Amino acid sequence: DADDEEERFLGPVAELAPAMEAAFLRPFPVRYDPAPVRTAVVTGAASGIGAACVAALAADGVAVAGLDLRPSVGCEVALVADVADREAVERELGRAERELGPLEIAVSAAGYYERRPLLEIGVDAWRRMLAVHVLGTVNVLRPVVRGMLARRRGRVCTIASELALVGEPQAAHYAAAKGAIVALSKSLALEAAPRGVQVNCVAPGPTDTPLLVAEERHPAYLATLPLGRLVDPAEVAATV
């Protein structure tokens, strides 16, 4: 009968439930340090979402080091490096810590957008896209998170994109790179949380930054968006 069928289906699941709960649902014995954070590094700080994050953090009294390909404004220390260049990034982060002290917040917002049909995305284009977004994020977070874990205190936020979740025609390499950032952030969060470091990832929709292409500013496109407009970078910074 129906009861026997339900028992035959649910029985094995019920037997596994205690083990599943022990492995995945146990409460985290973590207490995050409630003291105010005082220092931060933001990549992609010269424009767009990165610049908005610098402004928001500075308004909260945080001393910010901004890293970009050109000097950033509104920050205590302007760092200049390509995030894909590990040695340059580590050198600039060392300078930031000498001038500001240990970095307690890291916002990884550096990136760029490019549209090409999949069959026209060459190996060099793939390498550059992944080098900036994925390795660039790793290059910044590895040295900063190392110190956070040692102090058992810190906050990390990466900037991905809605395209990491839904994809985009003619932007497969960009969507793939942003998808990697989402997965990287989830994995780091699981590693770092037990040691007092919070890791989050923000995946905004179309945002009013210099990266946006002209067709995404057209009224016909804006009408398809839930808000009927582009997201303001300051709105993204408020979630960070």
Side-chain angles (χ1 to χ4, degrees):
D1 60 13
D3 290 341
D4 291 339
E5 183 67 22
E6 182 177 1
E7 174 64 24
R8 185 163 58 252
F9 178 74
L10 294 179
V13 176
E15 291 175 6
L16 288 173
M20 293 172 64
E21 181 176 3
F24 301 110
L25 302 181
R26 62 182 182 272
F28 263 47
V30 176
R31 298 292 183 270
Y32 293 113
D33 188 341
V37 290
R38 298 161 297 179
T39 57
V41 60
V42 177
T43 70
S47 65
I49 292 172
C53 290
V54 169
L57 289 166
D60 284 342
V62 178
V64 184
L67 187 149
D68 211 316
L69 292 172
R70 65 180 189 275
S72 308
V73 299
C75 51
E76 293 279 338
V77 180
L79 310 175
V80 178
D82 181 345
V83 292
D85 184 338
R86 180 181 57 82
E87 292 183 356
V89 168
E90 291 185 354
R91 182 174 61 249
E92 291 294 272
L93 290 176
R95 181 164 72 89
E97 293 208 321
R98 288 193 298 273
E99 297 190 28
L100 301 179
L103 296 169
E104 299 175 314
I105 299 174
V107 180
S108 179
Y112 70 101
Y113 180 67
E114 179 182 68
R115 298 194 70 180
R116 297 186 192 182
L118 176 62
L119 298 182
E120 296 179 12
I121 304 174
V123 172
D124 289 343
W126 274 105
R127 285 176 175 159
R128 180 60 182 167
M129 185 67 72
L130 296 174
V132 170
H133 289 92
V134 185
L135 291 179
T137 300
V138 172
N139 288 342
V140 172
L141 295 190
R142 282 188 66 183
V144 176
V145 171
R146 183 180 295 113
M148 292 178 176
L149 293 175
R151 297 186 298 272
R152 304 188 70 86
R153 167 183 170 84
R155 301 177 189 174
V156 172
C157 187
T158 60
I159 305 298
S161 166
E162 63 162 348
L163 303 185
L165 309 176
V166 301
E168 171 80 343
Q170 299 189 17
H173 53 339
Y174 178 83
K178 289 297 189 179
I181 290 175
V182 172
L184 168 64
S185 302
K186 290 180 178 180
S187 299
L188 179 58
L190 292 171
E191 285 189 36
R195 296 172 65 180
V197 177
Q198 297 170 293
V199 181
N200 290 286
C201 179
V202 176
T207 305
D208 190 5
T209 75
L211 298 184
L212 212 64
V213 297
E215 64 191 69
E216 292 175 328
R217 298 181 183 277
H218 193 280
Y221 174 76
L222 298 179
T224 68
L225 303 179
L227 294 177
R229 63 171 176 82
L230 298 173
V231 177
D232 190 298
E235 294 175 304
V236 180
T239 70
V240 171

